[in-house]
Amino acid sequence: MSRVFVVDTNVLTAGLITKDAQSPVARIVDHMLSGAIFYLLSLALLDEYRAVLLRPKLSKLHGLTEREIDALLTDLVANAIWRDPEPVSPAPDPGDDHLWALLEGHAGSVLITGDRLLIEHPPDRASVISPRSHVERGVDLSSASNRP
């Protein structure tokens, strides 16, 4: 059975602003867009993706218009496994309860994040890893860039 991931907003954002198409975050975003990995998505996480990508400071870095961001998010939704999880135990970082809900709603799922607090305090039924660890674990992330 294939692993199912939850991709934190910081990974998506970093993947869109990096200039290194071979960086772990860029490669993860490429695979989300191409459907090469299985990942969970909820309304709360999608809303967070959009809100963060529309921040003026980040908009200057990634250079995407609101319309391009919405098209990107539409592509991500099309490739995602959609879930509407129930609230669960609180995450170690108070703003990340929606991530914990996704993880706890799908046993064995893996959160990919750059948030050290989340990495150091994973939930009972899921794993939390960094983008680099994800790539080093042998997931084939060698495809050409699909980023906008």
Side-chain angles (χ1 to χ4, degrees):
M1 185 162 134
S2 296
R3 297 298 292 218
V4 176
F5 301 95
V6 175
V7 180
D8 199 350
T9 306
N10 59 55
V11 175
L12 176 65
T13 303
L16 293 173
I17 64 175
T18 185
K19 302 297 183 212
D20 180 3
Q22 294 305 310
S23 70
V25 290
R27 293 163 71 185
I28 290 166
V29 172
D30 288 345
H31 270 59
M32 291 174 75
L33 290 169
S34 70
I37 63 172
F38 295 109
Y39 59 95
L40 302 173
L41 198 53
S42 66
L43 182 57
L45 183 54
L46 182 64
D47 285 347
E48 182 178 83
Y49 283 175
R50 188 174 194 280
V52 170
L53 291 174
L54 288 173
R55 289 179 184 165
K57 191 178 221 180
L58 285 174
S59 291
K60 287 180 185 176
L61 294 173
H62 60 60
L64 299 173
T65 66
E66 185 173 358
R67 176 178 259 166
E68 290 168 327
I69 289 169
D70 288 339
L72 170 82
L73 296 175
T74 298
D75 289 344
L76 291 177
V77 169
N79 291 324
I81 300 167
W82 191 261
R83 293 289 187 257
D84 190 15
E86 295 295 319
V88 293
S89 58
D93 194 347
D96 290 327
D97 289 347
H98 62 288
L99 297 175
W100 253 227
L102 278 170
L103 290 171
E104 290 187 8
H106 193 98
S109 55
V110 179
L111 173 63
I112 305 171
T113 184
D115 187 329
R116 180 69 47 206
L117 183 61
L118 300 180
I119 292 170
E120 292 173 356
H121 300 93
D124 293 335
R125 297 178 45 198
S127 300
V128 181
I129 61 173
S130 71
R132 182 163 307 285
S133 294
H134 177 68
V135 171
E136 288 172 354
R137 288 183 178 193
V139 177
D140 179 16
L141 296 174
S142 59
S143 71
S145 177
N146 290 313
R147 292 180 297 140

